[in-house]
């Protein structure tokens, strides 16, 4: 079963409520739909979200690297030769979400051809994940109102709070307001997207010591090498590396260097193949993982839950699976539903991604 064509289709869907965080903000899902076609008629689907402030990729660069470099390299290879495909893709540095989308589309093809769900092929641990919702920057009362609405509407009881603003006391106050409003049983953790210095972060953690946070993520840059190690050594909770550990080798480097004590796995950047490398490295080192969100649409979210639910360790903590709720629309024919704070893996062969052709025609940017 040979790869005969790779499509990279730019599309844009506005957000009803933009997400703001220390390294940037998102108003439109200007993603790239990736479709890998085979000579047996199977088509694998995934999406690549450009995050220039995290990976340097843009919508245009993702389309260009797929059209000009990756597609010519992999057309003619068999869809089962994933290692051969990766050997080709790895000749180009960077471009993580473009590579990850191709990887996940290949798994989708393999699942369809085998007549099995990808989540089952990956590990088949469970069929659902509890959901953690990301609360972006806003005045504290609006952050509280959003969390209460999400809890009441979807039954979600874990929240990742964006921090990293200056002065740090605004974020500390928002976290205290959230804990007070939501009560002691709700899970809370914070993500600074590198916004603070090590000393600001240490001070903020001290002032949030009584909040029962479960994790702290990327509070300061990993490039502040010694300051970051100093902070991580003093953090009262596991310190998650997200954008500082975007490849398996970076995960090893950050963990062994003492710059992180937990890892965010994002299928949007490591697909399924390298996400398993990351997961297994963390398992063998005894490091906790959280399934993160690259501000994914519903296609990316389906990929995240398929992977997260497939393994014991990745299914342990609630996964960040709800950013799509802030979009005005999406491409799936059958929208995702979060109920009782839970998102289910889609049934069926492959990833179960069924694109609505009318919506694709409406939102695509290349026609
Ligand atoms: C997150 O976990 O940081 C914001 C920037 C990014 O790279 O991912 C999102 C969410
Ligand atoms: Mg993060």
């Amino acid at each position: 079963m040979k790869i005969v064509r790779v499509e990279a289709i730019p599309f844009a869907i506005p957000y009803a409520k933009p997400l703001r965080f220390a390294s940037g903000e998102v108003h439109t899902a200007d993603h790239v739909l990736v479709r890998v076609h085979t000579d047996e008629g199977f088509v694998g689907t995934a999406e690549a979200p450009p995050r220039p402030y995290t990976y340097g990729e843009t919508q245009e660069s993702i389309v260009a690297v797929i059209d000009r470099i990756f597609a010519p390299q992999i057309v003619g290879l068999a869809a089962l030769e994933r290692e051969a495909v990766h050997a080709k893709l790895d000749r180009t540095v960077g471009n993580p979400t473009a590579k990850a989308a191709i990887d996940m589309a290949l798994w989708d093809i393999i699942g369809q051809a085998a007549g099995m769900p990808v989540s089952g092929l990956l590990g088949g641990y469970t069929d659902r994940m509890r959901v953690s919702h990301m609360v972006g920057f806003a005045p504290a009362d609006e952050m509280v109102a959003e969390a209460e609405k999400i809890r009441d509407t979807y039954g979600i009881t874990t929240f990742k709070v964006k921090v990293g603003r200056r002065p740090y006391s605004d974020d500390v106050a928002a976290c205290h307001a959230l804990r007070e409003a939501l009560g002691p049983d709700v899970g809370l953790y914070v993500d600074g997207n590198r916004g603070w210095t090590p000393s600001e972060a240490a001070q903020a953690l001290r002032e949030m010591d009584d909040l029962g946070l479960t994790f702290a993520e990327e509070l300061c840059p990993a490039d502040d090498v010694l300051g970051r190690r100093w902070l991580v050594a003093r953090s009262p909770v596991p310190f998650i590396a997200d954008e500082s550990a975007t490849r398996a080798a970076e995960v090893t480097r950050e963990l062994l260097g003492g710059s992180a004590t937990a890892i965010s796995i994002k299928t949007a950047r490591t697909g399924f193949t390298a996400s398993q490398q990351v997961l297994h490295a963390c398992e063998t080192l005894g490091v906790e993982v959280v399934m993160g969100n690259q501000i994914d649409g519903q296609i990316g979210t389906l990929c995240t839950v398929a992977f997260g639910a497939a393994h014991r360790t990745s299914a342990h903590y609630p996964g960040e699976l709800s950013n799509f709720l802030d979009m005005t629309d999406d491409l799936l024919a059958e929208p995702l539903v979060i109920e009782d704070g839970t998102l289910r893996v889609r049934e069926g062969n492959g990833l179960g991604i069924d694109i609505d052709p009318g919506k694709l025609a409406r939102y695509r940017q290349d026609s």
Side-chain angles (χ1 to χ4, degrees), residues 300-347:
T301 304
L302 258 189
C303 292
T304 304
V305 74
F307 183 93
H311 315 88
R312 258 175 302 172
T313 320
S314 53
H316 183 76
Y317 289 107
E320 296 164 10
L321 298 163
S322 61
N323 284 82
F324 72 85
L325 294 173
D326 292 334
M327 289 169 59
T328 51
D329 201 359
D330 214 303
L331 297 183
L332 289 188
E334 191 195 326
L336 298 187
V337 178
I338 298 175
E339 259 174 353
D340 296 329
T342 299
L343 181 67
R344 285 169 173 269
V345 176
R346 192 140 280 188
E347 286 175 2

Side-chain angles (χ1 to χ4, degrees), residues 21 23 54 134 160 162 189-194 217-218 240-244 264 266 269 292-294 320:
F21 43 96
S23 57
T54 309
M134 218 182 277
K160 172 158 111 171
K162 287 298 192 184
Y189 56 114
V190 290
D191 181 1
N193 289 112
R194 299 160 280 147
E217 178 170 325
E218 296 282 4
I240 298 177
D242 172 10
E243 56 265 48
S244 62
S264 173
K266 294 187 176 177
R269 67 175 169 231
N293 195 315
Q294 202 50 73
E320 296 164 10

Side-chain angles (χ1 to χ4, degrees), residues 2-9 35-39 42-44 71 74-76 109 364:
K2 298 243 184 277
I3 299 169
V4 292
R5 185 171 162 225
V6 183
E7 281 182 289
I9 305 171
R35 290 206 283 214
V36 177
H37 298 255
T38 67
D39 58 359
F42 295 110
V43 181
I74 68 171
V75 164
I109 291 169
R364 66 188 297 166

Side-chain angles (χ1 to χ4, degrees), residues 92-158:
T92 303
V93 300
N95 296 283
T97 73
K99 290 174 181 170
I102 291 175
D103 177 72
M104 294 188 286
L106 288 179
W107 276 91
D108 189 21
I109 291 169
I110 291 165
Q112 292 173 42
M116 292 179 191
V118 168
S119 200
L121 291 174
L122 287 167
Y125 178 62
T126 178
D127 64 352
R128 69 197 71 185
M129 284 190 83
R130 285 176 299 139
V131 176
S132 162
H133 182 73
M134 218 182 277
V135 182
F137 289 170
D141 57 336
E142 289 176 27
M143 293 169 75
V144 168
E146 181 193 342
E148 288 176 334
K149 187 175 127 208
I150 292 286
R151 179 196 59 192
D152 298 345
T153 312
Y154 302 104
I156 293 174
T157 54
T158 302

